[in-house]
Amino acid sequence: MKTLILFFILLPLNSLAQEFEILYTSQVNNNDNIYLINHLGRIKQITTHPRKDSSPMISPNGKQMVFTSERVGWWKIWILDLENNDYRQLTNSGSAEYSPSWSLDGSRIVFVSGRNGGAEIYTMNPDGQDIKQLTSNKKNTMPSWGSDNRIYYSSQVSGVYQIWHMNPDGSDQQQLTSDKGDKLMAQLAPDQKSILYYGNRDGNMEIYTMEVSSENVNRLTDDGLMDIRPRWSPDGKRIVFERGNKRSNQQIYIMDADGSNQLQLTKTGYNYSPSFMR
């Protein structure tokens, strides 16, 4: 794997006290590849394929990266062994397959596939074997594996995406929200006290948390551009997300878990799908 250091961004000094590494996708010359940026602003290119690579998620042991790719056609799930630079295709249906996320122990991957005529949630082993369908209503998206070992996801109810969760085998599916506005990319905090998501309840796409015990909703961002696709840091103290218009200007940001200390990491172009490497 050839690694390319592109440039440095001089970040404010107060950001350097907390080290981080963030995976994300960047479109350069109409080609999407996966990159890594750290707290010093140092950027490395991870994938260098002429077809689109996107949505990277690191395994719990830090040795593998699952991602979506158009290397062999429509979106499929791929995995990269970071120790030996080994790429493997995990899914191969005739439909788009995307939004991969790891189980807590790294033994399963949850993802979305349209292989049976609708957007359903599935799990599989990291070698692509033992694929199991968990949902069956054709309107599901953006699953994540919670620290309580339940899968959190969005499912459309009466035309609105609401937050649901279920057991890893698909049993005990429960709806957690029912108010106005789409709620997408739901993720339980590492301390299990709140659920992170983005939605449009206030008219624009913004980032929110919902307290598990009280169901109180806290708005974390308030910007004229769209704030979308947030991810928790492993310790739950910070959130990475993207802000932009989903066209020519889409940048990666990081902030504290309460929405304070928002810091822009990338400066130009179209950048998306961030997640913490560590």
Side-chain angles (χ1 to χ4, degrees):
M1 175 178 63
K2 183 179 180 180
T3 298
L4 176 64
I5 300 174
L6 295 182
F7 56 85
F8 287 84
I9 301 171
L10 296 179
L11 300 181
L13 290 178
N14 61 5
S15 72
L16 306 183
Q18 300 184 60
E19 294 185 1
F20 58 80
E21 289 182 327
I22 291 170
L23 293 162
Y24 68 101
T25 307
S26 185
Q27 188 175 97
V28 179
N29 297 325
N30 203 35
N31 179 227
D32 298 25
N33 273 293
I34 295 169
Y35 293 76
L36 180 73
I37 187 170
N38 69 8
H39 62 288
L40 297 173
R42 185 178 182 180
I43 296 177
K44 296 180 181 180
Q45 186 169 351
I46 304 299
T47 66
T48 56
H49 200 273
R51 301 296 296 272
K52 291 183 178 180
D53 291 335
S54 177
S55 307
M57 291 289 291
I58 196 71
S59 61
N61 64 10
K63 296 181 179 181
Q64 296 174 303
M65 182 185 76
V66 69
F67 62 102
T68 59
S69 181
E70 292 190 341
R71 293 174 177 230
V72 293
W74 212 357
W75 290 114
K76 298 293 175 284
I77 310 296
W78 284 67
I79 195 168
L80 168 62
D81 188 313
L82 295 170
E83 294 184 325
N84 59 23
N85 194 34
D86 178 37
Y87 288 84
R88 286 181 293 131
Q89 183 179 349
L90 301 186
T91 62
N92 192 30
S93 79
S95 299
E97 293 166 319
Y98 50 94
S99 294
S101 181
W102 293 91
S103 65
L104 299 178
D105 61 2
S107 65
R108 299 287 285 176
I109 295 170
V110 63
F111 65 101
V112 178
S113 175
R115 62 180 58 200
N116 285 331
E120 303 293 0
I121 295 175
Y122 296 76
T123 61
M124 63 181 169
N125 293 337
D127 61 1
Q129 300 300 306
D130 192 27
I131 295 177
K132 294 181 179 179
Q133 182 175 341
L134 305 187
T135 60
S136 58
N137 69 335
K138 300 184 179 182
K139 297 179 180 180
N140 308 282
T141 191
M142 296 182 172
S144 68
W145 221 294
S147 54
D148 59 353
N149 201 33
R150 285 177 66 84
I151 294 172
Y152 289 73
Y153 62 104
S154 296
S155 185
Q156 199 173 90
V157 180
S158 301
V160 176
Y161 278 102
Q162 303 288 358
I163 298 173
W164 290 65
H165 66 161
M166 61 183 165
N167 288 328
D169 62 0
S171 64
D172 192 28
Q173 297 181 14
Q174 297 182 23
Q175 184 176 344
L176 298 180
T177 63
S178 59
D179 57 330
K180 68 176 184 177
D182 291 326
K183 301 158 198 68
L184 298 165
M185 209 164 171
Q187 302 153 68
L188 185 67
D191 64 7
Q192 303 183 14
K193 293 182 179 180
S194 62
I195 297 172
L196 174 69
Y197 66 95
Y198 75 93
N200 58 2
R201 62 177 282 163
D202 296 308
N204 188 41
M205 283 295 182
E206 305 288 353
I207 296 172
Y208 301 84
T209 55
M210 182 181 74
E211 298 172 11
V212 172
S213 60
S214 66
E215 298 186 3
N216 288 335
V217 174
N218 303 303
R219 181 173 174 173
L220 304 186
T221 63
D222 185 2
D223 192 89
L225 296 172
M226 293 186 294
D227 292 332
I228 61 176
R229 289 191 276 219
R231 294 275 188 190
W232 290 111
S233 63
D235 61 6
K237 293 181 178 180
R238 308 188 87 178
I239 295 168
V240 66
F241 65 101
E242 58 189 87
R243 170 175 290 165
N245 57 23
K246 292 193 73 175
R247 292 187 295 275
S248 59
N249 178 31
Q250 192 82 359
Q251 306 306 327
I252 307 300
Y253 284 72
I254 192 171
M255 63 182 172
D256 291 344
D258 62 359
S260 63
N261 296 320
Q262 295 181 17
L263 175 66
Q264 184 176 346
L265 301 183
T266 60
K267 302 300 181 181
T268 60
Y270 180 31
N271 308 278
Y272 64 100
S273 294
S275 65
F276 280 88
M277 179 85 165
R278 66 178 179 92

